[in-house]
Amino acid sequence: MAIKGFQGTSLLDYPGRIASLVFFAGCNLRCPYCHNPGLVETPEQYPDIALDEVVALVAQRRGFIDGVVISGGEPTLDPLLVELATELKGLGLQVKLDTNGLAPAVLERLLDQGLLDAVAVDLKTAPERYPELGAGPTAALALKQTLALLQQAPVALEYRTTCMPALVGAADIAALGPLVQGCPLWVLQQFVAEHALSPAARSSVPYLPEQMQELAVQAAAYACQVQVRGL
Ligand code: SF4
């Protein structure tokens, strides 16, 4: 595990905010649609970037960024994450974490220390189906613990689901919905076959726009706002 990437600037998902992006390598899942397969399967192809170098790069940009998005891969697997978030908060920046939600203890530590301003959690499929993504048998419990933690957390919160037909259907939305009841935002993303991690995914057919909208109507029973992206 290591920090592998740093990008100059990019838009945060929150209007009007500019952020830098930091990528961690490695992941405990193998989502067939993953669009960062290099970071997940062959992270050694990217050079490691030392923590103090990342902090220095961010510090140089402090005058025109609002925050930093920490993404991956899965950042919660790396012991450097807490230290990085601490350093970034020390620079007076906002910190957003992108995570698959399978490390509730790490998330709790970050929240307890006030190191996060925003969290985006990927909801992959019904919790009991996570072993289909390579997760261990405790993944469903871990995800539920994360979602319970975030119910009361003082952070901007976004749930995201990539709607690959083999993984996400009406039954999966119905299984996830009660776990995120009342959340501010649930984003349903169109599945994109091109460049997907698994060969099977690369040849699978996405939902039609009207099928995505049907899932969105279903999800709207649970979330305050539902957005469909990528159509
Ligand atoms: S989509 Fe995210 S959680 Fe899934 S394999 Fe890729 S980096 Fe890991």
Side-chain angles (χ1 to χ4, degrees):
M1 299 299 296
I3 298 170
K4 292 289 189 179
F6 178 85
Q7 283 188 3
T9 56
S10 174
L11 283 176
L12 257 175
D13 296 341
Y14 304 97
R17 311 270 179 87
I18 304 293
S20 292
L21 276 159
V22 177
F23 294 96
F24 280 88
C27 190
N28 47 358
L29 293 181
R30 290 293 181 275
C31 306
Y33 53 74
C34 180
H35 275 218
N36 284 330
L39 277 177
V40 171
E41 301 217 290
T42 54
E44 64 282 355
Q45 70 178 290
Y46 305 108
D48 291 355
I49 308 175
L51 178 75
D52 54 0
E53 190 180 343
V54 171
V55 174
L57 287 165
V58 172
Q60 287 168 13
R61 291 159 174 79
R62 215 170 13 163
F64 60 91
I65 62 172
D66 299 292
V68 176
V69 177
I70 303 175
S71 192
E74 177 48 46
T76 60
L77 298 177
D78 198 308
L80 283 179
L81 172 61
V82 175
E83 197 178 339
L84 174 65
T86 303
E87 294 279 352
L88 296 175
K89 292 303 289 180
L91 292 174
L93 293 166
Q94 297 178 47
V95 176
K96 178 187 177 222
L97 175 68
D98 289 346
T99 177
N100 62 24
L102 298 186
V106 176
L107 184 62
E108 188 169 28
R109 188 172 165 204
L110 290 162
L111 290 170
D112 284 350
Q113 294 183 27
L115 298 176
L116 298 178
D117 300 279
V119 179
V121 180
D122 283 359
L123 304 173
K124 308 292 185 183
T125 183
E128 284 66 31
R129 295 186 63 190
Y130 270 57
E132 294 176 38
L133 305 170
T138 59
L141 177 62
L143 180 66
K144 289 173 184 175
Q145 288 173 337
T146 289
L147 301 182
L149 257 179
L150 289 171
Q151 287 274 359
Q152 305 297 332
V155 292
L157 180 59
E158 171 182 308
Y159 293 117
R160 301 186 296 215
T161 298
T162 299
C163 296
M164 182 178 169
L167 282 174
V168 178
D172 305 297
I173 297 291
L176 289 166
L179 302 174
V180 300
Q181 187 74 51
C183 70
L185 178 61
W186 191 355
V187 177
L188 302 187
Q189 300 178 150
Q190 176 63 296
F191 155 68
V192 178
E194 197 181 9
H195 307 308
L197 181 147
S198 105
R202 275 177 243 140
S203 59
S204 79
V205 179
Y207 280 126
L208 297 169
E210 53 267 37
Q211 292 173 307
M212 289 291 292
Q213 295 297 348
E214 283 172 20
L215 293 175
V217 168
Q218 190 189 355
Y222 306 105
C224 295
Q225 186 188 0
V226 173
Q227 290 179 7
V228 178
R229 291 183 188 158
L231 292 185

